[in-house]
């Protein structure tokens, strides 16, 4: 399992020795517990080697091999002593367990770490659409109709194509659906729609063979194409030959489809899902990005052995951090092997609305900024044609970054793309001379700042609500999603008693006020935090010391990403409590920010860093969400940043605040609302997913820290629910199964009773709390709100 988290650079070149505490920390971040005893790794053929093709065994032989595989698993399960750990020895990085130090060679996973350049790939032909680095990023979506309903499916495909979809995927779960696909393709051609169609295949190799006659592309899931339904059984592979023998069984099942796709010039996607890794992969590699990559490579090796190369890869997960790590590891391995297959990007089960768009932006946008990705899908619990707009916006952002060469001069970087660790800045401490408590200035799990303008103070109660505060008799109190600090470029005049009183009430409950030092020097504001440009502060520091304006109790600095090492080094003993990373206009935010964090790391400076992203007046909300997720979330997936402020003078402060909190939650930092893992629906869905998701959200949306998975069917359900506390899954038409974690606890519940039973289940496990009253609520002490 650990090898999967670390990424093994390059190709198994890693020596691992791990302490229990670090192992637990990794397991908590990425999924299942670590395996426990050593296992040799199966050797792989060298790049370019080919196994003799030989003659295909008979269908009867293949069936017998499948039965033998099941028997071996049963025997292994019956006699297992416990889970296993993959341990690999050889050249490469090293972990020192006592000091928990990590030395890693910087992996090459993209063309440039300091400039956006598209990763060069071969061209894959999907009917009339070409996918690869020499072509525009292709936009995809997936139908939600019953595939057997030819008329409805054809009409939905047309709506998707009219909305701008380059490729449309359709679920094909059985022979009846495969037969319907023939008529769907024919009808679309008759209506002059040549949009390529992709068959989504799970569990059914025979169905894939059928539909390859009709559709331009086949998506196969390595987790269940040959291994069957999802289980979490742990299999002991004491003899590596057993694992290799099972790989040969996969070859027998998969090779006929490869040969057919090659003969018909069909394309293929080898699409790994974090939630549907097979029991054999989970047992061998753990629930890890490494397991995802190796699962895909087993199938890619078979394609290559048959000289078939018209395929793309995908590494989807509902957790953007896992998704980004898996794609980076996949790309790194392809650089090592000399492979150039295109990438299909997506965050699976992202959900609906702004939350779904934010999660997708964090994962997809982070990769696009590194030049990775050739076709994308934004998976939303909405009608499929509505996925195309955010999909296109992200594609255009990636296109703009690559064509304009967003970046900065080359620098040396030691970012670890294999092991997620969050850089945590030191929190504010109390000082003996303080007249107020400055510790609520930052939140330990990630801070949200809000920009406030003098005009906002004219209606204090409205401002308090927009900052997320509760009101008790008109007085503000911090709540779970209240802005931690406000930033003002201009402070109200000392003669404006009402405005000053409004700010004082915020300060008294722990919402601090930051303002430029020059504004505070001109008209002091008691107990404010003075902000200076780093260059100015560093110059004053070197000249003998920084003098704070009258009344200011702390210092903060603006960093614009162009500073030299000398100015960054001055932060070590300057006394600043935080830095606002507000990248200068015309400078690449992602790359300049990485350089700043690299410099801080080299200087061993632990100042908290708050990302400050500014948008032009009138920027639409979709762009606010998608660009914030891509360019700030794309840094937080590497653990870079202690919070953020989103600034747009023409946008509602409440919307900007909730968007910022949504970004922190999407990056798995600070939970302020219920987390939903919600699939986008497809022809397999056994209930009205949009309606049910909305119903569940309305009744459970007030449970911060609780994660609920709403899944239309069983394909990815149990695996993705390993990352959720509770699961609501379609088990049969009109019936729902409820899960706690990845264990089903109630089966066959009628649709109309399932939501009530889900709430009962949450109550049984002590995770329920009554919804807050819509009127003024109880006060929350500042210390508790900032804990």
């Amino acid at each position: 399992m650990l090898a999967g988290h670390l990424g093994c650079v390059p190709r198994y070149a890693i020596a691992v020795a791990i302490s229990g505490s670090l192992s637990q920390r990794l397991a908590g971040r990425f999924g299942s517990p670590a395996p426990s005893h050593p296992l040799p790794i199966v050797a792989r053929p060298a790049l370019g080697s080919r196994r003799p093709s030989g003659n295909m065994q008979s269908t009867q032989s293949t069936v017998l091999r499948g039965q033998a595989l099941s028997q071996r698993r049963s025997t292994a399960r019956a006699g297992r002593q416990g889970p296993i750990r993959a341990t690999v020895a050889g050249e490469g990085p090293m972990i020192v367990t006592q000091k928990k130090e990590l030395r890693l060679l910087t992996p090459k996973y993209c063309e440039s770490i300091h400039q956006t350049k598209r990763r060069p790939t071969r061209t894959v032909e999907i009917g009339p659409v070409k996918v690869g680095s020499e072509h525009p990023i292709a936009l995809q979506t997936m139908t939600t109709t019953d595939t057997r309903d030819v008329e409805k499916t054809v009409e939905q495909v047309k709506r998707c194509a009219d909305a701008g979809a380059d490729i449309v995927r359709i679920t094909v779960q059985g022979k009846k659906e495969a037969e319907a696909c023939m008529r769907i393709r024919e009808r679309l051609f008759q209506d002059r729609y040549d949009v390529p169609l992709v068959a989504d295949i799970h569990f059914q190799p025979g169905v894939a063979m059928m539909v390859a006659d009709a559709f331009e592309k086949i998506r196969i899931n390595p987790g269940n194409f040959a291994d069957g339904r999802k289980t979490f059984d742990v299999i002991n592979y004491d003899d590596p030959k057993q694992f290799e023998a099972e790989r040969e069984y996969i070859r027998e099942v998969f090779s006929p489809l490869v040969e057919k796709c090659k003969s018909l010039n069909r394309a293929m996607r080898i699409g790994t899902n974090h939630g549907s890794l097979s029991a054999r992969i989970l047992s061998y590699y753990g629930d890890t990005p490494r397991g995802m990559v190796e699962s895909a490579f087993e199938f890619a090796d078979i394609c290559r052995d048959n000289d078939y190369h018209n395929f793309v890869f995908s590494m989807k997960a509902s957790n953007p951090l896992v998704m980004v790590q898996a794609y980076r590891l996949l790309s790194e391995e392809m650089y090592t092997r000399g492979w150039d297959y295109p990438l299909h990007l997506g965050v699976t089960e992202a959900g609906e609305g702004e939350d779904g768009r934010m999660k997708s932006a964090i994962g997809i946008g982070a990769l696009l900024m590194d030049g990775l990705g050739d076709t994308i899908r934004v998976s939303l619990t909405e009608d499929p044609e509505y996925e195309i707009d955010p999909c296109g916006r992200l594609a255009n952002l990636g296109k703009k970054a690559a064509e304009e060469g967003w970046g900065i001069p080359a620098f040396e970087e030691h970012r670890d793309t294999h092991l997620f660790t969050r850089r945590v800045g030191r929190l504010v401490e109390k000082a003996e001379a303080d007249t107020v408590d400055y510790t609520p200035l930052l939140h330990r799990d990630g801070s949200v700042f809000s920009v406030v303008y003098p005009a906002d103070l004219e209606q204090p109660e409205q401002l308090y609500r927009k900052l997320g505060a509760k009101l008790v008799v008109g007085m503000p109190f911090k709540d779970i999603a209240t802005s931690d600090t406000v930033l003002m470029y201009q402070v109200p005049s000392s003669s404006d008693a009402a405005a000053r009183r409004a700010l004082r009430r915020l300060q008294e409950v722990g919402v601090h006020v930051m303002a430029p030092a020059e504004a505070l020097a001109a008209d002091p504001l008691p107990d404010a935090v003075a902000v200076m440009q780093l260059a100015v502060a560093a110059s004053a520091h070197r000249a003998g010391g920084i003098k704070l304006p009258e009344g200011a109790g702390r210092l903060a600095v603006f960093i614009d990403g162009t500073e030299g090492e000398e100015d960054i080094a001055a932060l070590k003993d300057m006394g600043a409590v935080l830095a606002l990373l507000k990248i200068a206009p015309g400078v690449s935010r992602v790359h300049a920010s990485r350089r700043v964090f690299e410099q801080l790391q080299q200087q061993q400076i632990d100042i908290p860093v708050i990302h400050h992203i500014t948008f032009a007046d009138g920027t639409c909300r979709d762009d606010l969400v998608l660009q914030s997720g891509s360019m700030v979330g794309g840094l937080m997936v590497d653990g870079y940043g202690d919070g953020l402020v989103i600034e747009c003078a023409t946008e509602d402060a409440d919307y900007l605040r909730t968007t910022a909190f949504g970004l922190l939650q999407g990056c798995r930092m600070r939970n302020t609302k219920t987390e939903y893992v919600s699939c986008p629906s497809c022809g397999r869905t056994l209930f009205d997913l949009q309606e049910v998701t909305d119903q569940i959200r309305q009744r459970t949306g007030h449970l911060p820290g609780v994660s609920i998975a709403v899944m239309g069917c069983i394909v990815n359900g149990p695996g993705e629910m390993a990352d959720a506390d509770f699961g609501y899954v379609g088990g049969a038409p009109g019936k729902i199964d409820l899960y706690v974690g990845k264990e089903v606890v109630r089966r066959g519940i009628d649709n109309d009773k399932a939501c009530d039973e889900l709430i009962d289940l949450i109550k049984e496990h002590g995770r329920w709390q009554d919804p807050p009253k819509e009127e003024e609520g109880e006060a929350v002490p500042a210390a508790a709100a900032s804990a």
Side-chain angles (χ1 to χ4, degrees):
M1 172 182 179
L2 179 63
H5 286 311
L6 294 177
C8 305
V9 283
R11 291 187 65 193
Y12 307 116
I14 187 167
V16 177
I18 188 79
S19 68
S21 60
L22 181 55
S23 176
Q24 292 166 3
R25 180 163 60 84
L26 289 173
R29 173 65 62 179
F30 288 110
S32 62
S36 64
H37 58 265
L39 174 76
I41 291 295
V42 177
R44 282 187 165 279
L47 176 64
S49 67
R50 291 284 181 269
R51 297 183 179 90
S53 57
N55 296 323
M56 291 300 299
Q57 294 186 4
S58 67
T59 303
Q60 180 181 9
S61 173
T62 300
V63 171
L64 291 174
R65 292 289 295 277
Q67 293 171 345
L69 170 58
S70 299
Q71 184 177 2
R72 285 197 299 272
R73 288 182 178 166
S74 299
T75 303
R77 287 195 293 269
R80 66 176 181 263
Q81 300 297 318
I84 53 86
R85 168 183 293 163
T87 304
V88 191
E91 299 178 355
M94 178 174 63
I95 298 175
V96 181
T97 58
Q98 286 80 8
K99 296 183 180 180
K100 295 183 182 177
E101 294 176 354
L102 190 68
R103 291 191 292 115
L104 286 167
L105 299 174
T106 302
K108 179 179 175 62
Y109 71 90
C110 62
E111 280 298 286
S112 172
I113 60 173
H114 53 80
Q115 186 178 20
T116 301
K117 296 180 179 179
R118 281 191 74 176
R119 167 182 164 266
T121 75
R122 68 176 62 229
T123 293
V124 168
E125 296 182 354
I126 309 170
V129 174
K130 292 179 170 56
V131 171
S133 58
E134 298 300 314
H135 310 281
I137 296 172
L139 313 183
Q140 298 201 32
T141 187
M142 184 174 184
T143 60
T144 59
T145 54
D146 183 340
T147 306
R148 292 170 296 181
D149 191 328
V150 174
E151 293 302 321
K152 286 186 177 180
T153 303
V154 166
E155 289 306 310
Q156 195 170 68
V157 170
K158 289 179 179 179
R159 290 198 300 273
C160 294
D162 292 342
D166 298 305
I167 303 165
V168 178
R169 181 159 44 118
I170 298 174
T171 189
V172 189
Q173 60 265 51
K175 293 182 178 179
K176 291 182 179 179
E177 288 79 9
E179 292 168 355
C181 287
M182 310 292 180
R183 300 195 296 276
I184 290 169
R185 177 72 278 176
E186 183 179 353
R187 278 287 312 280
L188 287 167
F189 279 149
Q190 289 174 355
D191 294 346
R192 299 180 182 276
Y193 280 81
D194 64 350
V195 57
L197 301 180
V198 183
D200 193 56
I201 301 294
H202 298 269
F203 313 118
Q204 297 281 358
V207 172
M209 292 289 287
M210 289 178 61
V211 79
D213 289 322
F215 282 7
E216 289 81 1
K217 182 180 175 185
I218 308 295
R219 180 271 169 122
I220 61 102
N221 183 343
N224 58 37
F225 186 83
D227 285 6
R229 286 192 174 270
K230 174 77 174 182
T231 71
F232 294 95
D233 295 320
V234 177
I235 308 169
N236 282 320
Y237 287 109
D238 298 318
D239 183 357
K241 293 180 181 179
Q242 179 184 344
F243 190 84
E244 184 65 24
E246 294 180 358
R247 183 178 289 161
E248 289 304 315
Y249 169 71
I250 293 173
R251 178 179 298 275
E252 292 173 17
V253 174
F254 183 50
S255 291
L257 178 63
V258 173
E259 293 173 348
K260 185 164 189 176
C261 287
K262 179 181 177 182
S263 66
L264 296 176
N265 195 30
R266 302 302 193 211
M268 188 183 295
R269 170 159 67 97
I270 301 174
T272 303
N273 269 28
H274 184 235
S276 57
L277 293 176
S278 66
R280 59 188 294 276
I281 290 293
L282 286 172
S283 299
Y284 204 82
Y285 295 102
D287 184 13
T288 64
R290 167 60 67 184
M292 294 171 68
V293 172
E294 293 298 335
S295 180
F297 279 0
E298 286 188 337
F299 284 75
D301 285 342
I302 297 168
C303 292
R304 289 172 57 83
D305 287 348
N306 285 275
D307 197 26
Y308 172 72
H309 302 278
N310 201 40
F311 64 88
V312 304
F313 283 114
S314 67
M315 297 278 126
K316 295 192 179 183
S318 61
N319 182 337
L321 277 66
V322 174
M323 173 264 196
V324 169
Q325 191 182 48
Y327 274 104
R328 286 174 172 173
L329 180 58
L330 170 68
S331 181
E332 176 190 337
E333 286 287 339
M334 283 204 283
Y335 274 114
T336 301
R337 295 166 179 238
W339 292 7
D340 60 353
Y341 301 103
L343 297 177
H344 167 124
L345 305 185
V347 175
T348 192
E349 282 94 34
E352 63 179 351
E354 288 164 8
D355 290 342
R357 286 161 174 78
M358 180 61 79
K359 282 185 188 177
S360 294
I362 293 167
I364 296 172
L367 296 167
L368 290 174
M369 291 300 99
D370 278 327
L372 301 179
D374 306 287
T375 177
I376 61 178
R377 182 197 175 191
V378 175
S379 300
L380 301 175
T381 310
E382 302 176 16
D383 290 339
E385 58 265 33
Y386 295 127
E387 295 181 349
I388 301 303
D389 179 73
C391 198
R393 291 178 188 272
L394 284 172
N396 287 336
L397 181 65
K399 175 183 177 182
K400 183 177 176 67
E403 289 183 349
E404 296 181 2
W406 290 3
I408 59 174
F411 66 99
E412 186 175 293
E413 187 185 38
H414 301 88
R415 178 166 46 101
D416 186 357
T417 59
H418 295 160
L419 177 64
F420 176 86
T421 53
R422 181 183 160 200
R423 177 195 177 274
V424 180
R426 69 179 183 279
L427 295 175
V428 181
E429 298 177 351
K430 293 182 179 180
E432 194 172 326
D434 288 346
T435 56
V436 297
D437 182 6
Y438 284 99
T439 57
L441 185 66
L442 297 166
H443 192 285
R444 67 184 180 189
D445 294 327
S447 305
V448 169
F449 290 9
S450 292
V451 176
V452 170
Y453 304 96
D456 297 329
L457 298 171
E458 296 173 4
Q459 297 179 294
E461 290 189 15
Q462 181 177 328
L463 173 63
Y464 300 153
R465 288 191 176 93
K466 289 185 175 183
L467 295 176
K470 283 187 175 182
L471 293 181
V472 178
V473 197
M475 299 292 288
F477 290 89
K478 259 192 171 180
D479 200 4
I480 192 170
T482 305
S483 297
D484 298 291
T485 297
V486 300
L487 171 64
M488 299 193 72
Y489 294 113
Q490 296 178 344
V491 295
S493 169
S494 54
S495 62
D496 189 343
R500 290 272 173 140
R501 184 168 56 251
L503 288 179
R504 190 65 190 173
R505 287 176 175 171
L506 288 172
Q507 291 174 309
E508 288 171 349
V509 296
V511 180
H512 284 284
V513 181
M514 301 176 62
E518 54 270 25
L520 296 175
D523 199 347
L525 179 70
D527 303 315
V529 177
V531 191
M532 302 176 68
Q533 290 291 335
L534 176 56
V536 174
S539 178
H541 181 61
R542 289 190 291 267
I546 299 171
K547 184 178 180 181
L548 291 178
E550 178 186 346
R554 290 291 191 276
L555 171 69
V557 295
F558 279 116
I559 298 177
D560 68 11
T562 65
E563 294 83 1
E565 291 184 8
E566 186 180 14
D567 285 350
I568 294 291
L571 287 168
K572 197 172 186 71
D573 56 359
M574 182 186 292
V577 294
L578 65 91
L580 287 163
L581 187 53
K582 189 176 184 179
I583 299 300
V587 178
S588 173
R589 168 172 289 278
V590 170
H591 304 97
S593 296
R594 285 176 179 170
R595 181 174 60 187
V596 168
F597 283 106
E598 176 70 21
Q599 291 172 332
L600 292 173
Q601 178 182 342
Q602 293 303 312
Q603 298 286 343
Q604 296 185 330
I605 297 170
D606 60 355
I607 187 171
V609 178
I610 304 297
H611 294 285
H612 186 159
I613 185 167
T614 304
F615 291 93
D617 292 358
T619 300
C620 76
R621 289 187 169 184
D622 278 346
D623 283 340
L624 284 171
V625 170
L626 297 172
Q627 292 183 31
S628 295
S630 298
M631 291 187 279
V632 175
L635 293 159
M636 288 183 167
V637 296
D638 287 311
Y640 286 164
D642 299 274
L644 76 155
V645 50
I646 303 175
E647 179 182 351
C648 181
T650 57
E651 187 52 79
D652 180 61
D654 180 61
Y655 178 81
L656 297 175
R657 173 186 61 84
T658 56
T659 299
F661 274 112
L663 195 155
L664 290 182
Q665 184 153 330
C667 292
R668 304 300 173 103
M669 290 177 65
R670 183 175 176 182
N671 290 325
T672 53
K673 56 188 175 183
T674 312
E675 177 75 13
Y676 295 97
V677 179
S678 176
C679 81
S681 185
C682 70
R684 288 184 172 84
T685 302
L686 298 171
F687 54 87
D688 188 326
L689 198 65
Q690 293 184 45
E691 179 181 332
V692 169
T693 300
D694 185 62
Q695 179 187 8
I696 292 173
R697 188 182 294 271
Q698 288 184 21
R699 299 185 63 183
T700 64
H702 61 287
L703 302 174
V706 174
S707 178
I708 300 173
V710 185
M711 315 296 290
C713 72
I714 205 66
V715 169
N716 294 323
E720 295 299 348
M721 281 183 302
D723 204 33
D725 301 308
F726 303 96
Y728 182 109
V729 181
K735 301 293 183 180
I736 302 299
D737 296 338
L738 297 181
Y739 286 70
V740 175
K742 55 192 178 185
E743 299 295 331
V744 61
V745 294
R746 300 184 187 180
R747 294 185 183 274
I749 303 167
D750 290 341
N751 276 349
D752 57 353
K753 299 177 181 178
C755 189
D756 290 334
E757 293 216 22
L758 172 64
I759 292 172
D760 289 342
L761 194 62
I762 296 172
K763 291 178 178 178
E764 284 179 16
H765 286 77
R767 305 295 299 276
W768 180 262
Q769 60 186 30
D770 291 330
K773 296 179 180 179
E774 293 185 6
E775 302 300 323
E776 297 177 347
E778 296 180 359
V780 178
S786 62

